[in-house]
Amino acid sequence: MSMLTASIEQVIVPRARDLGGFEVRRALPAAGRQMVGPFIFFDQMGPTEFITGTGIDVRPHPHIGLATVTYLYEGEIFHRDSLGSELPIRPGDVNWMTAGRGIVHSERTAGDVRAAGSRLFGIQSWVALPADKEEVDPGFVHVAAANLPIVEAAGTRVRIIAGAAYGAAAPTPTLSDTLYADVALAAGASLPIDPGHEDRAIYVMSGEVEIDGIRHPPMQLLIFRPGDRITVTATVDTRLILLGGATLEGPRHIWWNFVSSRKDRIDAAKADWQAGRFAAVPGETEFIPLPG
């Protein structure tokens, strides 16, 4: 069990959920902590192995008031949305889908990948939008791994997924100050984390890190106290996600796939989905009904 230290404000052990043979570990939102910077939802997907003929089938469903962010370590997911976007995401790429006033999408395992059998391992997160940008037009951006900047030092490799860090900035579009990076550390290597972002946290995907003399195992979200320079040292080869950014102007209401600063807006989105007023996803005939 990880301990709080002079640098660590909170440790969140994600709860595991079985989604029909596919396990996710949800670190955000958590008891006592809704967001880290703009990140309001953080799921570790897998690692899972799909036998031949199986895969994921997340039918079309709606979002408002957020951006979904998909990043993979292994495997492939085929994305379709109501804007007409249609493409696979593979390891090292990022899909940034801004829901704004409303979007619908599906996530599936493509037929050729399903036929061969596959593995899946990655992070699915949501970024809440600033209150004055919650109703922007929906949008979708796919950034290939080759177009995300990489910063390397002795034993350290950082791929900037979104926002800016270590002198590099990703082309991924953000609507508020955002910190999001995939970090690989060799055993004994250290990662300095400056206090330039208001909120900062790490999620250890694999390996082990040491902070303030205390060792922390994988599959935990470590949220740092603001204002201090932090040093994270890998005791073994380690992979982690660095996330954070500016705190938004207030908490958010969350219901199903909807996020908003206003409860009445979520109620309106419920009614719109129930009545079929969201745009359809081309090529899809199914959808997920409104819960309840």
Side-chain angles (χ1 to χ4, degrees):
M1 173 70 87
S2 292
M3 298 173 55
L4 300 184
T5 69
S7 301
I8 298 174
E9 182 175 79
Q10 188 173 1
V11 176
I12 295 172
V13 179
R15 54 196 185 278
R17 297 186 176 199
D18 187 342
L19 303 181
F22 175 55
E23 186 176 82
V24 301
R25 293 179 180 273
R26 182 155 301 161
L28 289 174
R33 189 79 186 210
Q34 187 183 59
M35 289 185 275
V36 174
F39 289 88
I40 197 167
F41 179 96
F42 189 95
D43 265 6
Q44 173 188 326
M45 305 183 292
T48 296
E49 186 157 354
F50 294 111
I51 62 172
T52 301
T54 65
I56 63 166
D57 280 299
V58 182
R59 295 167 291 160
H61 57 281
H63 292 283
I64 65 163
L66 56 85
T68 66
V69 188
T70 306
Y71 185 80
L72 299 182
Y73 294 102
E74 293 182 79
E76 178 181 310
I77 296 174
F78 199 87
H79 168 96
R80 289 187 178 93
D81 64 42
S82 51
L83 300 175
S85 313
E86 186 173 311
L87 80 172
I89 178 173
R90 299 185 175 101
D93 302 343
V94 59
N95 278 358
W96 188 283
M97 186 183 76
T98 302
R101 58 180 168 78
I103 199 168
V104 181
H105 75 133
S106 66
E107 294 166 300
R108 299 185 185 269
T109 302
D112 58 336
V113 177
R114 191 182 300 261
S118 64
R119 287 178 56 82
L120 187 64
F121 186 28
I123 297 292
Q124 180 80 285
S125 58
W126 296 353
V127 171
L129 303 182
D132 63 350
K133 294 186 171 64
E134 287 180 330
E135 298 298 319
V136 298
D137 289 341
F140 175 80
V141 173
H142 172 88
V143 183
N147 295 325
L148 293 173
I150 292 175
V151 179
E152 293 184 290
T156 304
R157 189 174 192 267
V158 181
R159 172 180 277 130
I160 313 300
I161 303 170
Y166 306 105
T172 318
T174 59
L175 293 175
S176 65
D177 176 58
T178 303
L179 170 64
Y180 205 32
D182 169 18
V183 181
L185 296 172
S190 293
L191 178 75
I193 305 175
D194 291 330
H197 297 276
E198 188 174 2
D199 280 358
R200 300 159 300 159
I202 61 170
Y203 185 84
V204 181
M205 300 294 295
S206 62
E208 181 187 70
V209 299
E210 184 175 298
I211 303 166
D212 297 336
I214 304 295
R215 294 188 174 197
H216 302 272
M219 292 185 290
Q220 294 188 346
L221 182 67
L222 309 178
I223 302 174
F224 300 120
R225 301 184 193 279
D228 293 331
R229 190 174 196 267
I230 311 294
T231 299
V232 175
T233 302
T235 60
V236 296
D237 290 351
T238 295
R239 196 81 176 264
L240 61 86
I241 289 284
L242 172 63
L243 68 151
T247 302
L248 295 184
E249 67 291 323
R252 293 296 187 266
H253 299 279
I254 310 174
W255 189 87
W256 192 36
N257 302 310
F258 303 140
V259 170
S260 181
S261 58
R262 299 182 292 117
K263 184 179 182 300
D264 64 316
R265 182 63 183 90
I266 288 183
D267 292 338
K270 291 181 189 179
D272 287 343
W273 185 245
Q274 186 74 31
R277 288 190 287 265
F278 276 83
V281 177
E284 290 278 10
T285 57
E286 300 178 293
F287 65 91
I288 300 178
L290 192 76

